[in-house]
Amino acid sequence: MSNSLWGGGMYELAKKLFPICRSISGEGFRQSLKILDDVMGGGILQIHSIKSGTEIYDWVIPQEWQINDAYIITPDGEKICDFKKNNLHVLNYSEGIDDEISLDELQEHLYSIEDYPDAIPYVTSYYKKRWGFCIEHEKRINLKNGKYKVFIDAKHFDGVLNYADFIIPSTQNNKEEILISSYLCHPSMANNELSGPIVATFLAKWLLEQKQRKYNYRFVFIPETIGSIVYINKHLKHLQKYVKAGFALSCIGDDNAYSLVHSPYEDTLADKVALHTLKNKKNFKEFSFLYRGTDERQYCSPLVNLPVVAICRTKFGNYKEYHTSKDDLNLISQTSLKNSLKAMQEIIMNLEINEIYKLVTFCEPNLGKRNLYHNINVKVIQLPVAANFLAYCDGKNDVLDIADKLNLQAYELKDLIEKLKFHKLILNSNTLK
């Protein structure tokens, strides 16, 4: 795999996407989807739309949002909260305004973080119309009395909400699917926004190169929350029937931890393979579904009940820069993106190798005559991996279970399994039914 694919290409993609003002609808979201599609070779992503005002379960698709410019002019003539310098300065989904107001009135429409005084907060108002600006608290407390010109060139209109998906097919005529989901609706933030869809994009590129795929891989790029609700509404029965495991990728670009947010009962294949893959990685942390935060909330809701977990580096909300201007390109790196991609590749490889096998001989088979065991007696008893693997091939343990006992990653057993199958020592439990 080239160095570009493993890190540099992902970081360059982050730099290209970072300046775009995205929201849950609008041209910034569509532009970002097209960039991801170009990276995958073009014509891969299927981009869909749903009209404003459409009722989806308990939700209504909001009007589309368009913003061109925004700023404040102070009584001294200084331009502050300039949208063109940092798109986080505007309340995301803000109404337009062109007015002169007092400082007291302006303060009612300003958002800042007192204990993070040099950061611009990311604040949204998708479902209630209001206008506002986000500002560093250290600047807010120094604003002088007087008249302020407030200008936001933005509008809401009946348009569409977009989302995208595509499927990489199984090479084995298998209908089961693995779901990879990430959101693309946040503006200029690097870890919270861009790392998820970027890692998903390069994971798809890698999967397309694989000659054998047991599963179908369904990739979904959506605006967070409302997008997954729409997607579930459109595909619920199919997803419930065919999704074997799913992974919501979020905040996967920093280098401080590996995190798993479990499904409600922590008993799905997604929980099992993610825990197996990540548990020995740097600063690994696992969280109950009580600490959910991204689209696993929708995929795992009671009437949907898909086997989906969230995969992060440092979990959303657990790092200081989260939802602020400090979540910039300095917070992610080529190396951290590369390592996150590698972790997701390992999850996929562990899924692909995972089956339930049963030993077909009574007692231990003679591994020596098959060159799977030394054929001279030695003083130290050191059973080979083959013998230990076969000892647990009882038709109940899957490869993940056995690999856990052997302190190996499941995919590391691939060559051994192929040899055991070649020598007809094990059979897939499905073959025995």
Side-chain angles (χ1 to χ4, degrees), residues 72 74-76 78-82 85-86 89 103 106-107 110-114 116-121 134-145 148 325-326:
I72 299 172
T74 71
D76 295 332
E78 180 187 3
K79 180 185 279 191
I80 63 172
C81 294
D82 188 347
K85 290 185 177 180
N86 193 313
H89 272 307
L103 177 59
L106 175 62
Q107 291 284 11
L110 293 181
Y111 303 89
S112 63
I113 307 173
E114 186 173 357
Y116 206 174
D118 61 340
I120 306 165
C134 301
I135 187 172
E136 301 93 328
H137 195 74
E138 62 187 12
K139 293 182 179 179
R140 181 178 185 176
I141 61 177
N142 289 315
L143 294 175
K144 300 176 181 178
N145 284 319
Y148 286 78
S325 58
K326 298 298 183 179

Side-chain angles (χ1 to χ4, degrees), residues 95 98 102 196 235 334 344 370 407 418:
E95 288 189 300
D98 185 0
S102 68
H235 300 279
Q334 294 182 16
M344 287 307 303
R370 299 175 174 92
N407 198 29
E418 291 304 314

